């Protein structure tokens, strides 16, 4: 059920614009927040576009709720406005993406020490845990990349930690509920391709993530990984054939 929202102040600052929508810094009940607004697709019939957009927003809202129920961190969901095609959520001002973190680590760590970095291992563990819990609860993210994961500094008292961050999952625009092992295998394959593309200097990173995934997805993990390997083989075949 959609959460009703009061009329908000106009959005203020564009952060990102993609194929599906815009992400702004705005306000919600006087507090800064993120506003995600989905585009109207002009090539669709207006009634169909409205229906599909409402379905996607509701699916995204449910994904937030399922993550919370599973104990995973996401930005707090403040409310949705189906008529205005908007989602209002928490703005984590101090966070940065996992991609930015890895890029910085790559720039400041010697190549031979990078794969053994304690920080990288901790990050891989958190990513594997997150994806494993998603799949254990039959939630397929649909767009797993290191740009769709935030590292939010933890509260005071943990500054001495090797990895003083919590992993926050974002962008559930393509998420869906599914117990299908192939759908989950595709999710893993998308993550692998994203990591190989964005972090080619770390060929072992996905393997570290997959190891943690096995530990935290106790729901038919073998079947899911078998499907991932099938999807991966099909992807390689397409690449070879051209």
């Amino acid at each position: 059920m959609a959460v009703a929202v009061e009329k908000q102040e106009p959005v203020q600052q564009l952060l990102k614009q993609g194929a599906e929508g815009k992400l702004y810094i705005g306000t919600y009940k006087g507090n800064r927040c993120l506003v995600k607004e989905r585009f109207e697709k002009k090539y669709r019939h207006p009634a169909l576009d409205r229906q599909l957009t409402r379905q996607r927003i509701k699916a995204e809202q449910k994904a937030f709720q399922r993550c919370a129920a599973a104990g995973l961190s996401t930005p707090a969901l403040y409310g949705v406005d189906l008529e205005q095609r908007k989602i209002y959520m928490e703005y984590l001002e101090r966070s940065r993406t996992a991609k930015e973190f890895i890029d910085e680590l790559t720039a400041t760590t010697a190549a031979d020490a990078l794969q053994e970095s304690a920080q990288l291992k901790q990050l891989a563990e958190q990513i594997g845990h997150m994806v494993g819990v998603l799949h254990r609860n039959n939630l397929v993210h649909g767009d797993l990349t290191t740009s769709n994961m935030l590292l939010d500094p933890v509260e005071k008292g943990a500054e001495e930690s090797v990895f003083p961050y919590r992993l926050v999952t974002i962008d559930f625009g393509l998420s869906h509920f599914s117990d299908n092992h192939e759908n989950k295998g595709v999710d893993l394959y998308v993550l692998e391709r994203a990591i190989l593309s964005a972090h080619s200097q770390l060929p072992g990173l996905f393997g570290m993530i997959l190891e943690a995934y096995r530990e935290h997805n106790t729901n038919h993990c073998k079947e899911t990984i078998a499907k991932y390997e099938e999807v991966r083989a099909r992807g390689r075949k397409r690449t070879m054939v051209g």
Side-chain angles (χ1 to χ4, degrees):
M1 182 176 179
V3 180
V5 296
E6 300 173 0
K7 186 176 180 181
Q8 304 300 316
E9 298 174 25
V11 290
Q12 301 166 347
Q13 179 185 342
L14 179 65
L15 288 180
K16 181 181 177 182
Q17 181 168 325
E20 296 294 323
K22 299 177 182 179
L23 192 65
Y24 297 93
I25 297 177
T27 55
Y28 183 85
K29 295 184 178 179
N31 297 316
R32 293 186 85 192
C33 72
L34 285 185
V35 183
K36 181 176 180 179
E37 179 181 358
R38 284 184 169 266
F39 296 131
E40 181 180 353
K41 300 295 180 65
K42 299 296 185 181
Y43 58 83
R44 291 186 191 141
H45 186 281
L48 176 62
D49 182 66
R50 186 163 51 250
Q51 178 186 1
L52 292 176
T53 299
R54 290 171 70 94
Q55 289 175 352
R56 290 311 312 161
I57 291 176
K58 288 180 179 179
E60 195 163 354
Q61 181 184 18
K62 287 180 180 177
F64 274 96
Q65 295 166 344
R66 288 190 174 117
C67 281
L72 293 176
S73 295
T74 66
L77 179 65
Y78 295 150
V80 302
D81 187 333
L82 294 176
E83 294 304 317
Q84 296 296 317
R85 303 165 172 256
K86 294 176 182 177
I87 299 176
Y88 296 88
M89 69 193 90
E90 179 183 12
Y91 177 43
L92 300 171
E93 298 188 50
R94 298 169 58 211
S95 67
R96 52 180 167 162
T97 67
K99 181 182 185 305
E100 291 169 338
F101 177 84
I102 294 172
D103 288 345
E104 181 178 316
L105 195 62
T106 302
T108 58
T109 307
D112 56 350
L114 188 57
Q115 197 69 40
E116 297 301 317
S117 164
Q119 288 188 311
L120 189 67
K121 289 181 177 179
Q122 285 291 319
L123 175 59
E125 162 65 27
Q126 289 206 25
I127 295 174
H129 168 263
M130 178 269 291
V131 182
V133 172
L134 284 178
H135 288 180
R136 192 173 72 213
N137 288 274
N138 293 327
L139 185 60
V140 175
H141 185 279
D143 191 19
L144 286 171
T145 73
T146 51
S147 294
N148 283 338
M149 303 170 193
L150 298 180
L151 297 180
D152 191 45
V154 296
E155 298 296 325
K156 288 185 177 180
E159 290 85 352
E160 301 285 324
S161 171
V162 172
F163 192 77
Y165 304 97
R166 66 182 179 113
L167 186 72
V168 179
T169 314
I170 60 172
D171 200 348
F172 295 99
L174 297 176
S175 66
H176 58 281
F177 186 75
S178 174
D179 60 0
N180 182 283
H181 296 302
E182 178 147 356
N183 289 343
K184 297 174 186 178
V186 170
D187 226 18
L188 290 174
Y189 181 65
V190 167
L191 177 59
E192 181 187 32
R193 297 307 303 171
I195 286 175
L196 290 175
S197 174
H199 312 293
S200 58
Q201 72 279 31
L202 294 172
L205 177 56
F206 181 75
M208 294 161 61
I209 292 171
L210 198 59
E211 183 177 345
Y213 173 85
R214 293 175 191 271
E215 295 176 13
H216 296 288
N217 178 19
T218 54
N219 244 2
H220 306 290
C221 180
K222 290 182 179 179
E223 292 90 335
T224 296
I225 291 180
K227 286 296 183 182
Y228 148 72
E229 290 173 346
E230 287 181 19
V231 172
R232 189 170 184 250
R234 293 200 298 266
R236 283 183 168 179
K237 185 176 180 180
R238 283 196 299 270
T239 301
M240 290 172 63
V241 173

CSV table of all heavy atoms in Angstrom, one decimal, residues 143-164:
chain,number,residue,atom,x,y,z
A,143,ASP,N,19.9,-4.9,-10.6
A,143,ASP,CA,21.0,-4.0,-11.1
A,143,ASP,C,22.1,-3.9,-10.1
A,143,ASP,O,22.4,-2.8,-9.6
A,143,ASP,CB,20.4,-2.6,-11.4
A,143,ASP,CG,21.3,-1.7,-12.1
A,143,ASP,OD1,22.2,-2.2,-12.8
A,143,ASP,OD2,21.1,-0.4,-12.1
A,144,LEU,N,22.7,-5.0,-9.8
A,144,LEU,CA,23.8,-5.0,-8.8
A,144,LEU,C,25.1,-4.5,-9.4
A,144,LEU,O,25.7,-5.2,-10.2
A,144,LEU,CB,24.0,-6.5,-8.2
A,144,LEU,CG,22.9,-7.0,-7.3
A,144,LEU,CD1,23.1,-8.5,-7.0
A,144,LEU,CD2,22.9,-6.2,-6.0
A,145,THR,N,25.5,-3.4,-8.9
A,145,THR,CA,26.8,-2.8,-9.3
A,145,THR,C,27.4,-2.1,-8.1
A,145,THR,O,26.6,-1.8,-7.1
A,145,THR,CB,26.6,-1.7,-10.4
A,145,THR,OG1,26.0,-0.5,-9.9
A,145,THR,CG2,25.8,-2.2,-11.6
A,146,THR,N,28.6,-1.8,-8.1
A,146,THR,CA,29.3,-1.1,-7.0
A,146,THR,C,28.8,0.3,-6.9
A,146,THR,O,29.1,1.0,-5.9
A,146,THR,CB,30.8,-1.2,-7.0
A,146,THR,OG1,31.3,-0.8,-8.3
A,146,THR,CG2,31.2,-2.6,-6.7
A,147,SER,N,28.2,0.8,-8.0
A,147,SER,CA,27.6,2.2,-7.9
A,147,SER,C,26.3,2.2,-7.2
A,147,SER,O,25.8,3.3,-6.9
A,147,SER,CB,27.5,2.7,-9.3
A,147,SER,OG,28.7,2.9,-9.9
A,148,ASN,N,25.7,1.1,-7.0
A,148,ASN,CA,24.4,1.0,-6.4
A,148,ASN,C,24.5,0.4,-4.9
A,148,ASN,O,23.6,-0.1,-4.4
A,148,ASN,CB,23.4,0.1,-7.1
A,148,ASN,CG,22.8,0.8,-8.3
A,148,ASN,OD1,22.8,2.0,-8.4
A,148,ASN,ND2,22.4,0.1,-9.3
A,149,MET,N,25.7,0.6,-4.4
A,149,MET,CA,26.0,0.3,-3.0
A,149,MET,C,26.7,1.5,-2.3
A,149,MET,O,27.6,2.0,-2.9
A,149,MET,CB,26.9,-0.9,-2.9
A,149,MET,CG,26.3,-2.2,-3.6
A,149,MET,SD,27.6,-3.5,-3.7
A,149,MET,CE,26.8,-4.6,-4.9
A,150,LEU,N,26.2,1.9,-1.2
A,150,LEU,CA,26.8,3.0,-0.5
A,150,LEU,C,27.5,2.5,0.7
A,150,LEU,O,27.1,1.6,1.4
A,150,LEU,CB,25.7,4.0,-0.1
A,150,LEU,CG,24.9,4.7,-1.1
A,150,LEU,CD1,23.9,5.7,-0.5
A,150,LEU,CD2,25.8,5.5,-2.1
A,151,LEU,N,28.6,3.2,1.0
A,151,LEU,CA,29.3,3.0,2.3
A,151,LEU,C,29.1,4.2,3.2
A,151,LEU,O,29.5,5.3,2.9
A,151,LEU,CB,30.8,2.8,2.0
A,151,LEU,CG,31.2,1.6,1.2
A,151,LEU,CD1,32.7,1.5,1.0
A,151,LEU,CD2,30.6,0.3,1.8
A,152,ASP,N,28.4,3.9,4.3
A,152,ASP,CA,28.0,5.0,5.2
A,152,ASP,C,28.8,4.8,6.5
A,152,ASP,O,28.8,3.8,7.1
A,152,ASP,CB,26.5,4.9,5.5
A,152,ASP,CG,26.0,6.1,6.3
A,152,ASP,OD1,26.3,7.2,5.9
A,152,ASP,OD2,25.2,5.9,7.3
A,153,PRO,N,29.5,5.9,6.9
A,153,PRO,CA,30.4,5.8,8.1
A,153,PRO,C,29.5,5.4,9.3
A,153,PRO,O,28.4,5.9,9.5
A,153,PRO,CB,30.9,7.2,8.2
A,153,PRO,CG,30.9,7.8,6.9
A,153,PRO,CD,29.7,7.2,6.2
A,154,VAL,N,30.1,4.5,10.1
A,154,VAL,CA,29.4,4.0,11.3
A,154,VAL,C,29.5,5.1,12.4
A,154,VAL,O,30.2,6.0,12.3
A,154,VAL,CB,29.9,2.7,11.8
A,154,VAL,CG1,29.7,1.6,10.7
A,154,VAL,CG2,31.4,2.8,12.1
A,155,GLU,N,28.7,4.9,13.5
A,155,GLU,CA,28.7,5.8,14.6
A,155,GLU,C,30.0,5.9,15.3
A,155,GLU,O,30.9,5.0,15.1
A,155,GLU,CB,27.6,5.4,15.6
A,155,GLU,CG,26.2,5.4,15.0
A,155,GLU,CD,25.8,6.8,14.6
A,155,GLU,OE1,26.1,7.8,15.3
A,155,GLU,OE2,25.0,6.9,13.6
A,156,LYS,N,30.2,6.9,16.1
A,156,LYS,CA,31.4,7.0,16.9
A,156,LYS,C,31.7,5.8,17.7
A,156,LYS,O,30.8,5.2,18.2
A,156,LYS,CB,31.3,8.3,17.8
A,156,LYS,CG,31.4,9.6,17.0
A,156,LYS,CD,31.4,10.8,18.0
A,156,LYS,CE,31.6,12.1,17.2
A,156,LYS,NZ,31.6,13.2,18.2
A,157,GLY,N,33.0,5.5,17.9
A,157,GLY,CA,33.4,4.4,18.7
A,157,GLY,C,33.9,3.3,17.8
A,157,GLY,O,34.6,2.4,18.3
A,158,ALA,N,33.7,3.4,16.5
A,158,ALA,CA,34.2,2.3,15.6
A,158,ALA,C,35.3,2.9,14.7
A,158,ALA,O,35.7,2.2,13.7
A,158,ALA,CB,33.1,1.7,14.8
A,159,GLU,N,35.8,4.1,15.0
A,159,GLU,CA,36.8,4.7,14.1
A,159,GLU,C,38.1,3.8,14.0
A,159,GLU,O,38.8,3.9,13.0
A,159,GLU,CB,37.2,6.1,14.6
A,159,GLU,CG,36.1,7.1,14.4
A,159,GLU,CD,35.1,7.1,15.6
A,159,GLU,OE1,35.2,6.2,16.5
A,159,GLU,OE2,34.3,8.0,15.7
A,160,GLU,N,38.4,3.0,15.0
A,160,GLU,CA,39.6,2.2,15.0
A,160,GLU,C,39.4,1.0,14.1
A,160,GLU,O,40.4,0.3,13.8
A,160,GLU,CB,39.8,1.7,16.4
A,160,GLU,CG,40.0,2.8,17.5
A,160,GLU,CD,41.4,3.5,17.3
A,160,GLU,OE1,42.3,2.7,17.0
A,160,GLU,OE2,41.5,4.7,17.5
A,161,SER,N,38.2,0.7,13.6
A,161,SER,CA,38.0,-0.5,12.8
A,161,SER,C,38.7,-0.4,11.5
A,161,SER,O,38.9,0.7,10.9
A,161,SER,CB,36.5,-0.6,12.6
A,161,SER,OG,36.2,-1.6,11.6
A,162,VAL,N,39.1,-1.5,10.9
A,162,VAL,CA,39.7,-1.5,9.6
A,162,VAL,C,38.7,-1.0,8.5
A,162,VAL,O,39.1,-0.4,7.6
A,162,VAL,CB,40.2,-3.0,9.3
A,162,VAL,CG1,40.6,-3.1,7.8
A,162,VAL,CG2,41.3,-3.4,10.2
A,163,PHE,N,37.4,-1.3,8.8
A,163,PHE,CA,36.4,-1.0,7.8
A,163,PHE,C,35.2,-0.3,8.5
A,163,PHE,O,34.2,-1.0,8.8
A,163,PHE,CB,36.0,-2.2,7.0
A,163,PHE,CG,35.2,-1.9,5.8
A,163,PHE,CD1,35.8,-1.5,4.6
A,163,PHE,CD2,33.8,-2.1,5.8
A,163,PHE,CE1,35.0,-1.2,3.5
A,163,PHE,CE2,33.0,-1.9,4.7
A,163,PHE,CZ,33.6,-1.4,3.5
A,164,PRO,N,35.3,1.0,8.8
A,164,PRO,CA,34.3,1.6,9.7
A,164,PRO,C,33.1,2.1,8.9
A,164,PRO,O,32.7,3.3,8.9
A,164,PRO,CB,35.1,2.8,10.3
A,164,PRO,CG,36.0,3.2,9.2
A,164,PRO,CD,36.5,1.9,8.6
